[in-house]
Each structure stands twice: as C-alpha cells, then as structure tokens.
Amino acid sequence: MTTESNRQLGPVAIFDRDDTLLVDRHYMFDPQDIEWVPGAMEVISLLRDKGFRICVATNQSGIARGFFTEAQMHRFHDAMQRQLVSAGGVIDGFFHCPHHPEGTVAEYAVVCRCRKPAPGLVEQIDRTFPMDRARSFLIGDKPRDVQSAEAFGIAGYLYKGGSLLDRVTEILELTTAHQRCDIP
C-alpha cells in the first residue's frame, strides 16, 4: 500500500486545455481545430527539462451536451500529443470531466466532483503522478481553474493570453524566489 510518506513525489504542471494550451474554438473535437497558443509547445519542453510532469485537466461539457463523444475527445488529445512529440514535447496525462448537470446525455448529466472548480481532476492527477504540492501548480484561463488547484492545496495561476512561455517563466521565478525565502 502506498502512503503519503513513501510515495515518490515530484513537481507536476497542470494546464487547462482550451484558452490555455490551445486557442479555444468552442467545443473542440476535430484535430484540424488544434492551434497552440503562443509559447505552449515551448513551455511543455521547458518544464519537462526542469523535471516536471505535464498534465491537462479539462472540463469537456460538450460530451454531456451531446456535441461530441469521449472517443472523439481522445482522438483530439492523441492528435495534440502527436504534434507535441514531433516538436520534442510530451504530455504525461490528459484528465477530463465529461459531466455537466444540464447535459442532454443522461449518463453525463450529473453533478460530480471532477468538474472544475471542484478538485477531482487534480486528485486524479495526484493518484497517477504523486505531487510535490509545494512545487506543483495549475494554470488556466478561468477562476474555476485556480479554485480547483487551491481546493487541492497547490498553487493556481491565471493565464490571460499572450505568451504562455512568458507566463510560466514568471510563475517559475515567483516559486523559486518563494522557496529561497523559506530556506532558514
């Protein structure tokens, strides 16, 4: 049995998908709609080089609303991964919430613990990639992303456009400075 004290903890960088890693085209499932925000591919490589696991935590209510299926979403994520690999990057895991209480697909039209701002997706990531909470963070474009991170006990940051690489570089500088201040 794995306990908190004997788990191999490491830093994990968690990204929201739409309007954080990708330009949002609203309910995306067609791989032709993939357009990376400026600096997204580079930041994934940078963080991997710094020892971070990279994960995506994304609400995908389009599944509950019947706009696309989980299989179509998985194909979309596979296409994202192929593009990253060809550019020298990789995402360790894609975690999604297919639920929405007002959905039209009965099995997904529920209130759940995985829909951000609830912390369920971050909890799933932690079970798969045990997190060093002091060094891990989530970045997204909406307050619910930050709330999800904070509910789990890791830092959450907003991204409001521009270079994602610049934003993550700022975050890394802040966390490094904070860690230096905590050293006795």
Side-chain angles (χ1 to χ4, degrees):
M1 185 165 117
T2 301
T3 64
E4 187 71 29
S5 62
N6 69 8
R7 295 188 328 157
Q8 184 69 24
L9 302 178
V12 179
I14 305 168
F15 292 90
D16 177 51
R17 190 187 83 180
D18 304 334
D19 263 352
T20 303
L21 287 176
L22 301 178
V23 174
D24 190 1
R25 303 222 187 284
H26 214 54
Y27 299 115
M28 296 187 300
F29 64 91
D30 184 340
Q32 292 183 10
D33 288 337
I34 295 172
E35 180 183 349
W36 297 89
V37 301
M41 293 177 121
E42 296 85 354
V43 82
I44 290 169
S45 294
L46 170 77
L47 290 168
R48 298 274 310 166
D49 290 347
K50 291 185 174 292
F52 281 79
R53 295 275 192 172
I54 311 298
C55 293
V56 171
T58 181
N59 288 346
Q60 290 298 313
S61 70
I63 296 167
R65 296 173 195 273
F67 297 152
F68 54 91
T69 66
E70 279 189 284
Q72 288 172 307
M73 182 211 59
H74 288 301
R75 284 192 294 276
F76 185 87
H77 290 164
D78 290 345
M80 287 176 63
Q81 190 76 288
R82 282 191 304 276
Q83 289 183 14
L84 276 171
V85 168
S86 69
V90 68
I91 292 174
D92 294 292
F94 289 87
F95 297 81
H96 72 283
C97 172
H99 308 110
H100 194 282
E102 297 171 13
T104 59
V105 179
E107 67 182 292
Y108 299 119
V110 298
V111 174
C112 65
R113 184 163 170 77
C114 59
R115 184 169 177 75
K116 296 179 287 182
L121 289 177
V122 183
E123 292 168 350
Q124 289 175 35
I125 293 167
D126 184 55
R127 284 191 296 275
T128 306
F129 305 108
M131 282 186 236
D132 175 345
R133 291 185 190 206
R135 295 175 53 213
S136 298
F137 64 89
L138 185 150
I139 185 167
D141 66 305
K142 294 190 173 48
R144 69 177 173 224
D145 298 312
V146 173
Q147 292 164 352
S148 177
E150 291 173 348
F152 180 75
I154 62 172
Y157 300 96
L158 283 174
Y159 165 73
K160 290 295 183 188
S163 169
L164 186 60
L165 179 60
D166 290 348
R167 180 67 176 124
V168 171
T169 299
E170 291 171 11
I171 291 167
L172 292 174
E173 289 171 0
L174 284 171
T175 58
T176 301
H178 177 73
Q179 289 169 352
R180 281 195 303 260
C181 292
D182 289 344
I183 298 172

